[in-house]
mmCIF file of all heavy atoms in Angstrom:
data_model
loop_
_atom_site.group_PDB
_atom_site.id
_atom_site.type_symbol
_atom_site.label_atom_id
_atom_site.label_comp_id
_atom_site.label_asym_id
_atom_site.label_seq_id
_atom_site.Cartn_x
_atom_site.Cartn_y
_atom_site.Cartn_z
ATOM 1 N N ARG A 4 -3.049 -8.534 1.800
ATOM 2 C CA ARG A 4 -1.752 -8.663 2.349
ATOM 3 C C ARG A 4 -0.980 -9.897 1.769
ATOM 4 O O ARG A 4 0.179 -9.845 1.444
ATOM 5 C CB ARG A 4 -1.845 -8.841 3.840
ATOM 6 C CG ARG A 4 -0.535 -8.953 4.663
ATOM 7 C CD ARG A 4 -0.823 -9.084 6.145
ATOM 8 N NE ARG A 4 0.367 -8.688 6.838
ATOM 9 C CZ ARG A 4 1.534 -9.534 7.000
ATOM 10 N NH1 ARG A 4 1.543 -10.628 6.442
ATOM 11 N NH2 ARG A 4 2.514 -9.136 7.725
ATOM 12 N N GLU A 5 -1.704 -10.957 1.646
ATOM 13 C CA GLU A 5 -1.131 -12.193 0.873
ATOM 14 C C GLU A 5 -0.678 -11.858 -0.527
ATOM 15 O O GLU A 5 0.398 -12.381 -0.885
ATOM 16 C CB GLU A 5 -2.218 -13.304 0.936
ATOM 17 C CG GLU A 5 -2.562 -13.827 2.356
ATOM 18 C CD GLU A 5 -3.760 -14.656 2.386
ATOM 19 O OE1 GLU A 5 -4.580 -14.747 1.427
ATOM 20 O OE2 GLU A 5 -3.910 -15.397 3.345
ATOM 21 N N LYS A 6 -1.452 -11.080 -1.129
ATOM 22 C CA LYS A 6 -1.109 -10.726 -2.562
ATOM 23 C C LYS A 6 0.179 -9.948 -2.551
ATOM 24 O O LYS A 6 1.217 -10.274 -3.424
ATOM 25 C CB LYS A 6 -2.205 -9.911 -3.178
ATOM 26 C CG LYS A 6 -1.875 -9.536 -4.673
ATOM 27 C CD LYS A 6 -1.963 -10.725 -5.526
ATOM 28 C CE LYS A 6 -1.729 -10.348 -7.022
ATOM 29 N NZ LYS A 6 -1.762 -11.531 -7.782
ATOM 30 N N VAL A 7 0.445 -8.922 -1.659
ATOM 31 C CA VAL A 7 1.682 -8.184 -1.623
ATOM 32 C C VAL A 7 2.795 -9.118 -1.317
ATOM 33 O O VAL A 7 3.873 -9.093 -1.962
ATOM 34 C CB VAL A 7 1.503 -7.075 -0.578
ATOM 35 C CG1 VAL A 7 2.918 -6.371 -0.373
ATOM 36 C CG2 VAL A 7 0.566 -6.053 -1.045
ATOM 37 N N TYR A 11 6.134 -9.590 -3.915
ATOM 38 C CA TYR A 11 7.482 -9.097 -3.617
ATOM 39 C C TYR A 11 8.249 -9.988 -2.647
ATOM 40 O O TYR A 11 7.722 -10.584 -1.751
ATOM 41 C CB TYR A 11 7.290 -7.681 -2.991
ATOM 42 C CG TYR A 11 6.552 -6.655 -3.798
ATOM 43 C CD1 TYR A 11 5.294 -6.265 -3.634
ATOM 44 C CD2 TYR A 11 7.352 -6.103 -4.898
ATOM 45 C CE1 TYR A 11 4.709 -5.404 -4.506
ATOM 46 C CE2 TYR A 11 6.723 -5.226 -5.735
ATOM 47 C CZ TYR A 11 5.372 -4.875 -5.493
ATOM 48 O OH TYR A 11 4.778 -3.999 -6.257
ATOM 49 N N SER A 12 9.635 -10.040 -3.000
ATOM 50 C CA SER A 12 10.439 -10.909 -2.166
ATOM 51 C C SER A 12 10.750 -10.100 -0.962
ATOM 52 O O SER A 12 10.509 -8.968 -0.764
ATOM 53 C CB SER A 12 11.721 -11.120 -2.939
ATOM 54 O OG SER A 12 12.448 -9.922 -3.044
ATOM 55 N N HIS A 22 12.561 2.824 1.233
ATOM 56 C CA HIS A 22 12.501 3.980 0.271
ATOM 57 C C HIS A 22 11.075 4.282 -0.144
ATOM 58 O O HIS A 22 10.934 5.419 -0.848
ATOM 59 C CB HIS A 22 13.354 3.587 -0.965
ATOM 60 C CG HIS A 22 14.780 3.303 -0.678
ATOM 61 N ND1 HIS A 22 15.658 4.170 -0.285
ATOM 62 C CD2 HIS A 22 15.438 2.041 -0.660
ATOM 63 C CE1 HIS A 22 16.881 3.568 -0.017
ATOM 64 N NE2 HIS A 22 16.724 2.272 -0.244
ATOM 65 N N GLY A 27 9.872 4.043 -6.860
ATOM 66 C CA GLY A 27 9.886 3.026 -8.085
ATOM 67 C C GLY A 27 10.335 1.639 -7.752
ATOM 68 O O GLY A 27 10.315 0.828 -8.602
ATOM 69 N N VAL A 28 10.657 1.443 -6.483
ATOM 70 C CA VAL A 28 11.096 0.044 -6.106
ATOM 71 C C VAL A 28 9.867 -0.934 -6.054
ATOM 72 O O VAL A 28 10.103 -2.039 -6.068
ATOM 73 C CB VAL A 28 11.869 0.186 -4.758
ATOM 74 C CG1 VAL A 28 11.018 0.272 -3.514
ATOM 75 C CG2 VAL A 28 12.648 -1.164 -4.539
ATOM 76 N N CYS A 29 8.711 -0.380 -6.008
ATOM 77 C CA CYS A 29 7.395 -1.183 -5.890
ATOM 78 C C CYS A 29 7.075 -1.572 -7.375
ATOM 79 O O CYS A 29 6.157 -1.081 -7.905
ATOM 80 C CB CYS A 29 6.469 -0.317 -5.285
ATOM 81 S SG CYS A 29 4.959 -1.195 -4.792
ATOM 82 N N THR A 38 -2.022 0.232 -9.608
ATOM 83 C CA THR A 38 -2.437 0.600 -8.247
ATOM 84 C C THR A 38 -3.912 0.641 -8.131
ATOM 85 O O THR A 38 -4.508 0.211 -7.277
ATOM 86 C CB THR A 38 -1.797 1.897 -7.826
ATOM 87 O OG1 THR A 38 -2.158 2.977 -8.742
ATOM 88 C CG2 THR A 38 -0.303 1.697 -7.755
ATOM 89 N N THR A 47 -11.873 -3.395 0.149
ATOM 90 C CA THR A 47 -12.439 -3.663 1.616
ATOM 91 C C THR A 47 -11.210 -3.991 2.619
ATOM 92 O O THR A 47 -11.106 -3.375 3.665
ATOM 93 C CB THR A 47 -13.468 -4.851 1.594
ATOM 94 O OG1 THR A 47 -14.534 -4.451 0.786
ATOM 95 C CG2 THR A 47 -13.877 -5.102 3.011
ATOM 96 N N ASP A 48 -10.381 -4.949 2.136
ATOM 97 C CA ASP A 48 -9.245 -5.252 2.938
ATOM 98 C C ASP A 48 -8.334 -4.137 3.249
ATOM 99 O O ASP A 48 -7.870 -3.784 4.386
ATOM 100 C CB ASP A 48 -8.275 -6.263 2.216
ATOM 101 C CG ASP A 48 -8.843 -7.685 2.093
ATOM 102 O OD1 ASP A 48 -9.839 -7.990 2.750
ATOM 103 O OD2 ASP A 48 -8.426 -8.489 1.348
ATOM 104 N N VAL A 50 -8.917 -0.698 3.042
ATOM 105 C CA VAL A 50 -9.540 0.316 3.723
ATOM 106 C C VAL A 50 -9.652 -0.147 5.262
ATOM 107 O O VAL A 50 -9.393 0.705 6.155
ATOM 108 C CB VAL A 50 -10.780 0.780 3.194
ATOM 109 C CG1 VAL A 50 -11.700 1.724 4.115
ATOM 110 C CG2 VAL A 50 -10.715 1.483 1.878
ATOM 111 N N TYR A 57 -4.297 3.236 11.303
ATOM 112 C CA TYR A 57 -4.013 4.701 11.205
ATOM 113 C C TYR A 57 -5.178 5.523 11.603
ATOM 114 O O TYR A 57 -5.013 6.765 11.764
ATOM 115 C CB TYR A 57 -3.418 5.012 9.865
ATOM 116 C CG TYR A 57 -2.112 4.315 9.598
ATOM 117 C CD1 TYR A 57 -2.182 3.191 8.658
ATOM 118 C CD2 TYR A 57 -1.002 4.507 10.272
ATOM 119 C CE1 TYR A 57 -1.050 2.517 8.318
ATOM 120 C CE2 TYR A 57 0.166 3.738 9.951
ATOM 121 C CZ TYR A 57 0.155 2.696 8.914
ATOM 122 O OH TYR A 57 1.221 1.989 8.648
ATOM 123 N N PHE A 66 -7.093 11.707 0.819
ATOM 124 C CA PHE A 66 -8.030 12.274 -0.126
ATOM 125 C C PHE A 66 -7.776 13.816 -0.346
ATOM 126 O O PHE A 66 -7.837 14.168 -1.495
ATOM 127 C CB PHE A 66 -9.423 12.006 0.290
ATOM 128 C CG PHE A 66 -10.521 12.147 -0.846
ATOM 129 C CD1 PHE A 66 -10.497 11.410 -1.918
ATOM 130 C CD2 PHE A 66 -11.528 13.039 -0.645
ATOM 131 C CE1 PHE A 66 -11.359 11.609 -2.917
ATOM 132 C CE2 PHE A 66 -12.509 13.235 -1.646
ATOM 133 C CZ PHE A 66 -12.440 12.545 -2.854
ATOM 134 N N ASP A 70 -6.082 16.201 -3.682
ATOM 135 C CA ASP A 70 -6.913 17.320 -4.192
ATOM 136 C C ASP A 70 -8.178 16.732 -4.710
ATOM 137 O O ASP A 70 -8.579 17.080 -5.788
ATOM 138 C CB ASP A 70 -6.210 18.063 -5.230
ATOM 139 C CG ASP A 70 -6.723 19.444 -5.504
ATOM 140 O OD1 ASP A 70 -7.426 20.047 -4.497
ATOM 141 O OD2 ASP A 70 -6.628 19.974 -6.620
ATOM 142 N N VAL A 80 -3.477 5.411 -1.490
ATOM 143 C CA VAL A 80 -3.961 4.378 -0.499
ATOM 144 C C VAL A 80 -3.322 3.102 -0.772
ATOM 145 O O VAL A 80 -2.857 2.411 0.237
ATOM 146 C CB VAL A 80 -5.407 4.277 -0.486
ATOM 147 C CG1 VAL A 80 -5.865 3.136 0.323
ATOM 148 C CG2 VAL A 80 -6.106 5.603 -0.024
ATOM 149 N N CYS A 81 -3.201 2.710 -2.000
ATOM 150 C CA CYS A 81 -2.588 1.449 -2.353
ATOM 151 C C CYS A 81 -1.108 1.441 -1.947
ATOM 152 O O CYS A 81 -0.664 0.486 -1.328
ATOM 153 C CB CYS A 81 -2.598 1.253 -4.001
ATOM 154 S SG CYS A 81 -1.710 -0.179 -4.519
ATOM 155 N N ILE A 85 0.762 -1.015 0.793
ATOM 156 C CA ILE A 85 1.923 -1.830 0.526
ATOM 157 C C ILE A 85 3.181 -1.526 1.449
ATOM 158 O O ILE A 85 3.816 -2.360 1.885
ATOM 159 C CB ILE A 85 2.306 -1.691 -1.006
ATOM 160 C CG1 ILE A 85 1.217 -2.301 -1.857
ATOM 161 C CG2 ILE A 85 3.694 -2.254 -1.194
ATOM 162 C CD1 ILE A 85 1.343 -1.983 -3.362
ATOM 163 N N GLU A 91 5.693 -3.983 8.261
ATOM 164 C CA GLU A 91 5.470 -5.045 9.276
ATOM 165 C C GLU A 91 6.306 -6.303 9.047
ATOM 166 O O GLU A 91 6.780 -6.861 9.909
ATOM 167 C CB GLU A 91 3.914 -5.431 9.033
ATOM 168 C CG GLU A 91 2.978 -4.650 9.672
ATOM 169 C CD GLU A 91 1.537 -5.110 9.432
ATOM 170 O OE1 GLU A 91 1.394 -6.182 8.767
ATOM 171 O OE2 GLU A 91 0.583 -4.357 9.902
ATOM 172 N N THR A 92 6.518 -6.548 7.731
ATOM 173 C CA THR A 92 7.328 -7.817 7.369
ATOM 174 C C THR A 92 8.823 -7.539 7.829
ATOM 175 O O THR A 92 9.358 -8.550 8.394
ATOM 176 C CB THR A 92 7.238 -8.042 5.840
ATOM 177 O OG1 THR A 92 5.929 -8.172 5.419
ATOM 178 C CG2 THR A 92 8.083 -9.258 5.478
ATOM 179 N N GLU A 95 8.895 -7.764 11.681
ATOM 180 C CA GLU A 95 8.678 -9.221 11.979
ATOM 181 C C GLU A 95 10.058 -10.055 11.901
ATOM 182 O O GLU A 95 10.329 -10.799 12.783
ATOM 183 C CB GLU A 95 7.572 -9.959 11.261
ATOM 184 C CG GLU A 95 6.249 -9.493 11.547
ATOM 185 C CD GLU A 95 5.125 -10.026 10.487
ATOM 186 O OE1 GLU A 95 5.558 -10.857 9.688
ATOM 187 O OE2 GLU A 95 3.980 -9.628 10.696
#
Side-chain angles (χ1 to χ4, degrees):
R4 187 177 197 287
E5 292 167 342
K6 182 66 175 180
V7 169
Y11 297 105
S12 69
H22 304 289
V28 75
C29 192
T38 58
T47 302
D48 287 348
V50 170
Y57 304 105
F66 194 62
D70 200 25
V80 171
C81 175
I85 292 170
E91 284 180 1
T92 303
E95 288 170 4

